[in-house]
Amino acid sequence: MIYLDNNATTEIAEEVFEAMKPYLTNRFGNPSAVYDFAREAREIVDVSRQRLADLVGAENSTEIVFTSCGTESDNWAILGALGANPEKRHIITTKVEHSAISNLCKKLEQDGVEVTTLGVDENGSLDLDELRGALRPETAVVSVMMANNETGIIFPVKEIAEIVHSDSDAVFHVDGVNAVGKIPVNVREAGIDLFSISGHKFHAPKGIGALYIRRGVKLAPMLIGGSQESGRRAGTEAVHQIAAIGKAAELAKSPGTDIRRLRDKLEDFILRNIPNARLNGTAERSVRLPNTSSISFENINGEMILARLNELGICVSTGSACNSESRHSSSVLQAMNVPFTTAMGAVRFSLGRYNTEAEIDFVIEHLPKIIEELRQQGI
Ligand code: PLP
């Protein structure tokens, strides 16, 4: 199996699996308990919080709150900002956000919250003047992603933060789910107020995430109950999952395979050798994730390519994993004005820490034949 779908989810690292095991077996104590036996559970929660704080450049580990996934972190950022500022009923977001933000905003719109959705150009870039024009005194939160899960395009979050903070007192939320572990993140330097993290995107298991909440930012609690997570997100801590995300955060700081070189090799090969293949989004690599290539094979159905690659054990995606069952072309590609026939032929290759050169060579060997055959069949 050759796994090139790391923006959808990643393999649990061996080190991560080992780190979580004791908390699934003998160290099962409740971190809130006061006897000695529970101390190890409490300690690993603190250690993991610090590791995550270090990974994203938080000033203090108390700014990290554990959640169950990226979706929860995203939902909390928006709902928490609205909840803490009930007089403000306006949100600014973009047309290329993950459904964890876009579908929530649609729902909030039905509930009477005003939502401004910023567009992108064909390169996938935002118009920052449009953002300036959209900010209002009643804007509660501005939410943009750091890196797009489908195209890998990185938004200039530091510049966006400067605009948000100089022209308004809105809270600035960044969905960092597909950026963490792939590019360096420093929430403090970037001026980010809230930052969403999801463990399964960087070699921790599914079911654990976090929200960075800059000290001083007002946010309504996510779950109300006990005093866990300083009362901001109640519920007994998932200690094994927290141990896992902490280990994954530590691992993310150490260099793995040269993903960028392998991605460049694959992308260059396809664009140079396969007729009518085009990159979705800017060709400028400095503003794209080093692991992602979204490439459209004109007039072929991406799902057919996916199926043929699947027969060879190669896993790719035709867009976001969350909308792979939808028959519509991806909303991200639509927002970038990619024509329908091009968008339907989009394949996302997203590499990860454990890919090898031999795997990329295998894809390079087989993909041209697959595309040629599908073109001959007129699919
Ligand atoms: N935000 C982005 C950019 C994502 O790519 C994803 C997952 O694909 C999410 C949020 C949701 O994260 P989770 O799967 O942990 O709920």
Side-chain angles (χ1 to χ4, degrees):
M1 194 263 286
I2 298 178
Y3 189 73
L4 299 179
D5 201 17
N6 287 272
N7 287 8
T9 197
T10 58
E11 178 181 349
I12 299 176
E14 191 60 43
E15 299 90 324
V16 168
F17 185 52
E18 289 304 322
M20 70 192 293
K21 265 199 228 163
Y23 305 95
L24 281 165
T25 50
N26 52 329
R27 296 188 199 164
F28 59 83
N30 185 325
S32 302
V34 288
Y35 37 76
D36 282 355
F37 171 61
R39 202 182 53 235
E40 281 171 328
R42 204 159 43 244
E43 278 171 4
I44 194 65
V45 172
D46 293 343
V47 167
S48 293
R49 202 187 301 285
Q50 187 61 55
R51 285 176 174 163
L52 217 45
D54 290 344
L55 182 65
V56 300
E59 191 180 343
N60 197 291
S61 68
T62 55
E63 295 172 314
I64 300 290
V65 181
F66 294 110
T67 63
S68 66
C69 58
T71 301
E72 180 185 329
S73 303
D74 280 349
N75 273 232
W76 185 11
I78 304 281
L79 296 171
L82 287 172
N85 301 281
E87 72 293 352
K88 296 186 174 186
R89 305 291 287 163
H90 178 230
I91 299 171
I92 300 176
T93 185
T94 83
K95 281 193 182 156
V96 294
E97 297 304 309
H98 187 268
S99 50
I101 292 290
S102 60
N103 282 345
L104 174 68
C105 287
K106 277 182 206 148
K107 160 83 173 65
L108 288 168
E109 222 168 3
Q110 287 163 8
D111 296 345
V113 175
E114 265 192 90
V115 180
T116 303
T117 313
L118 307 173
V120 293
D121 64 15
E122 64 282 1
N123 286 323
S125 308
L126 280 176
D127 176 353
L128 298 185
D129 283 333
E130 196 188 350
L131 166 66
R132 277 191 196 90
L135 285 163
R136 309 186 205 150
E138 63 274 22
T139 308
V141 55
V142 177
S143 180
V144 304
M145 63 205 326
M146 181 169 258
N148 189 277
N149 44 305
E150 290 187 38
T151 59
I153 289 164
I154 300 169
F155 278 157
V157 288
K158 190 168 182 209
E159 248 179 286
I160 298 171
E162 276 161 16
I163 295 169
V164 173
H165 294 317
S166 66
D167 294 8
S168 79
D169 59 2
V171 171
F172 181 43
H173 168 246
V174 173
D175 175 350
V177 168
N178 246 307
V180 174
K182 300 190 177 96
I183 50 171
V185 173
N186 192 314
V187 286
R188 207 169 2 147
E189 265 176 24
I192 294 168
D193 294 323
L194 304 170
F195 187 78
S196 300
I197 300 166
S198 176
H200 75 99
K201 306 286 185 181
F202 59 104
H203 305 291
K206 294 152 194 68
I208 181 73
L211 184 66
Y212 159 82
I213 307 172
R214 188 173 59 74
R215 200 194 333 214
V217 169
K218 282 201 299 168
L219 201 71
M222 179 67 197
L223 294 177
I224 297 169
S227 59
Q228 295 94 347
E229 301 298 278
S230 314
R232 293 179 288 187
R233 203 262 184 194
T236 302
E237 296 87 342
V239 181
H240 59 296
Q241 297 280 53
I242 292 173
I245 199 172
K247 193 68 190 174
E250 192 185 60
L251 199 64
K253 291 199 120 184
S254 68
T257 344
D258 190 354
I259 298 177
R260 180 183 295 276
R261 190 179 64 78
L262 295 182
R263 190 280 311 264
D264 290 356
K265 179 175 180 176
L266 177 65
E267 185 175 293
D268 288 342
F269 175 85
I270 295 173
L271 296 176
R272 285 180 195 151
N273 296 288
I274 300 186
N276 298 321
R278 58 164 268 189
L279 188 70
N280 292 309
T282 177
E284 177 54 54
R285 286 179 168 156
S286 65
V287 292
R288 283 196 286 135
L289 288 176
N291 78 317
T292 309
S293 286
S294 168
I295 297 178
S296 280
F297 300 88
E298 305 262 4
N299 299 315
I300 312 186
N301 188 336
E303 281 176 24
M304 295 306 297
I305 304 172
L306 186 147
R308 292 292 304 275
L309 289 173
N310 179 47
E311 285 167 13
L312 296 173
I314 302 168
C315 308
V316 297
S317 160
T318 52
S320 157
C322 308
N323 65 20
S324 62
E325 271 157 31
S326 141
R327 297 231 135 242
H328 306 288
S329 80
S330 131
S331 58
V332 173
L333 300 182
Q334 276 177 33
M336 288 162 63
N337 254 328
V338 175
F340 184 75
T341 50
T342 308
M344 290 308 282
V347 175
R348 178 186 70 185
F349 302 89
S350 54
L351 281 64
R353 198 177 178 88
Y354 300 113
N355 287 127
T356 62
E357 184 123 28
E359 291 178 329
I360 299 306
D361 289 342
F362 184 84
V363 177
I364 282 175
E365 189 190 331
H366 290 89
L367 187 61
K369 275 181 282 175
I370 292 175
I371 300 296
E372 200 186 315
E373 281 168 24
L374 290 174
R375 285 226 164 97
Q376 274 169 7
Q377 291 162 16
I379 295 174

